[in-house]
Amino acid sequence: MTLYRDTGVVLRVQKLGEADRIITLITRRHGKLRAVAKGVRRTTSRFGARLEPFCHVDVQCYTGRTLDVITQVETIDAFAPRLVDDYQRYTAGCAVLETAERLSAEEGEPVMRLYMLVAGCLRALSAGERDPSLLLDAFLMRAMAFAGWAPAVFECAKCGAPGPHQAFSVPAGGAVCPTCRPPGSASPARDTLVLMDALMHGVWDTADLSTPATRREASGLVAAHLQWHLERQLRSLPLVERRSQ
């Protein structure tokens, strides 16, 4: 029996048998991890409440035949209590968890940067100091950069011509110049592209000054770009409440 420890964020839980659960985490050293937590659905469980979505935990596991087994859990951050009482923050958090699970498709493959993005975004959402919509879009932009899908914002996605450009094509990879512009391209406002760049690079003074209309347009482009590359829709994104604080 091989024991190991890691820190991670709980992404999802599934029932297993009468009293157990399969816990899906994104971890610092082991990437996406699916492990069995035995007896956590019983009222006498010692650590069942620590293995819920949004929990940031330190876990000890041992290697099993098919799934590893969780033997110890210590809470690092309990984000859930500060998220579930606010619908906008909760739905944004759900979109963060679902995106992280989709982007860490291979179990056991280290994804430390993505893990840090998830933990940082949930911490910012639970603090409640910024618009959850902005925090979610910043996470999605940086998560796409991690996956190699970052949209071009100030240069043409096809030929690299410097911008700013007046067209944006998701299939082409972002902003496009007049020469490369394919049919059906969107025509976002320049402030929208400025906001997307600010979210990618953490320029919060610029992001916080953006208008509700600019935020809505940026959110639409970010969501469309992500789901194009995932080749499927995220179930949580349509539920996210988009409003300014």
Side-chain angles (χ1 to χ4, degrees):
M1 182 174 70
T2 303
L3 287 171
Y4 64 91
R5 296 191 75 92
D6 207 344
T7 58
V9 175
V10 178
L11 302 179
R12 186 158 59 101
V13 299
Q14 299 164 271
K15 293 180 181 179
L16 179 66
E18 295 184 356
D20 306 337
R21 278 180 176 162
I22 298 174
I23 312 296
T24 303
L25 306 100
I26 183 168
T27 64
R28 178 182 290 273
R29 290 185 294 274
H30 295 83
K32 186 165 76 172
L33 171 67
R34 294 174 72 244
V36 175
K38 299 194 175 210
V40 293
R41 290 163 58 198
R42 297 193 182 102
T43 56
T44 56
S45 172
R46 291 174 297 136
F47 51 74
R50 303 174 199 168
L51 292 173
E52 295 289 345
F54 303 115
C55 288
H56 188 202
V57 292
D58 182 298
V59 294
Q60 177 177 281
C61 305
Y62 71 79
T63 306
R65 290 183 182 179
T66 55
L67 293 173
D68 296 351
V69 179
I70 297 172
T71 58
Q72 290 183 11
V73 182
E74 294 181 9
T75 300
I76 299 174
D77 294 295
F79 298 127
R82 298 187 290 269
L83 295 179
V84 297
D85 289 339
D86 184 288
Y87 182 78
Q88 189 182 21
R89 283 189 282 167
Y90 172 73
T91 52
C94 288
V96 169
L97 299 189
E98 186 180 0
T99 301
E101 185 171 7
R102 296 282 177 85
L103 292 182
S104 55
E106 295 294 327
E107 293 184 34
E109 181 179 337
V111 286
M112 180 181 289
R113 184 179 169 194
L114 184 59
Y115 157 77
M116 294 178 68
L117 285 173
V118 172
C121 186
L122 294 181
R123 185 172 292 111
L125 283 170
S126 65
E129 296 176 357
R130 283 201 162 90
D131 179 6
S133 181
L134 287 179
L135 292 171
L136 172 60
D137 289 337
F139 168 80
L140 296 179
M141 289 287 290
R142 297 173 196 185
M144 286 191 286
F146 160 80
W149 305 335
V153 176
F154 287 136
E155 69 282 343
C156 178
K158 285 193 168 184
C159 69
H165 300 296
Q166 297 180 347
F168 190 99
S169 171
V170 169
V176 284
C177 67
T179 303
C180 300
R181 177 176 182 165
S185 298
S187 299
R190 186 178 186 280
D191 286 348
T192 300
L193 300 179
V194 170
L195 173 59
M196 291 172 66
D197 185 70
L199 294 174
M200 172 70 81
H201 297 100
V203 186
W204 288 105
D205 288 344
T206 298
D208 289 339
L209 293 174
S210 59
T211 65
T214 299
R215 296 181 188 189
R216 284 194 299 271
E217 188 172 43
S219 294
L221 294 178
V222 171
H225 195 85
L226 173 65
Q227 292 174 125
W228 168 270
H229 286 282
L230 288 175
E231 298 182 344
R232 62 188 299 182
Q233 185 177 18
L234 292 176
R235 290 175 296 176
S236 55
L237 269 184
L239 304 177
V240 175
E241 185 177 356
R242 301 286 188 176
R243 59 180 169 84
S244 299
Q245 290 186 322

